[in-house]
């Protein structure tokens, strides 16, 4: 069991590094919970961690792609609207 866990941790670390290289974006990582199953208390803990992680993200990331590209109240017209 210990060998499997170590191999799994190594594989996860490799994937996280690969994703960090391919997608240089802010990441929110949740802690591993050493429990047999997730119940309401564990879900609450993960939700709190996720919320704190989102709050720590830079404002530009929270705004999303293209944020600020359009002025307030304006929008791009589609081809259908212009013809």
């Amino acid at each position: 069991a210990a060998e499997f866990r170590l191999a799994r941790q190594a594989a996860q670390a490799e994937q996280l590094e690969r994703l960090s290289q391919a997608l240089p974006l802010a990441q929110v990582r949740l802690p591993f919970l050493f429990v047999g199953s997730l119940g309401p208390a564990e879900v609450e803990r993960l939700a709190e961690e996720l919320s704190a992680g989102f709050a720590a993200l830079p404002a530009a990331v929270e705004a999303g792609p293209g944020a600020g590209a359009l002025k307030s109240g304006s929008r791009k017209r589609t081809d259908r609207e212009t013809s």
Side-chain angles (χ1 to χ4, degrees):
E3 282 183 36
F4 174 79
R5 188 171 143 229
L6 289 174
R8 183 71 180 144
Q9 285 177 328
Q12 287 176 344
E14 288 174 20
Q15 291 300 319
L16 288 171
E17 180 61 28
R18 183 183 65 80
L19 287 172
S20 293
Q21 298 286 328
L23 300 169
L25 303 171
Q27 296 180 9
V28 175
R29 294 188 183 178
L30 298 179
F32 180 81
L33 302 181
F34 294 92
V35 295
S37 62
L38 294 178
E42 292 80 19
V43 171
E44 180 68 24
R45 167 130 189 254
L46 292 173
E48 289 171 359
E49 294 279 346
L50 191 60
S51 180
F54 285 158
L57 290 175
V61 173
E62 290 177 9
L70 298 176
K71 292 181 182 174
S72 178
S74 66
R75 64 183 179 90
K76 292 181 180 178
R77 293 180 181 256
T78 65
D79 289 338
R80 262 188 228 150
E81 291 176 320
T82 57
S83 52

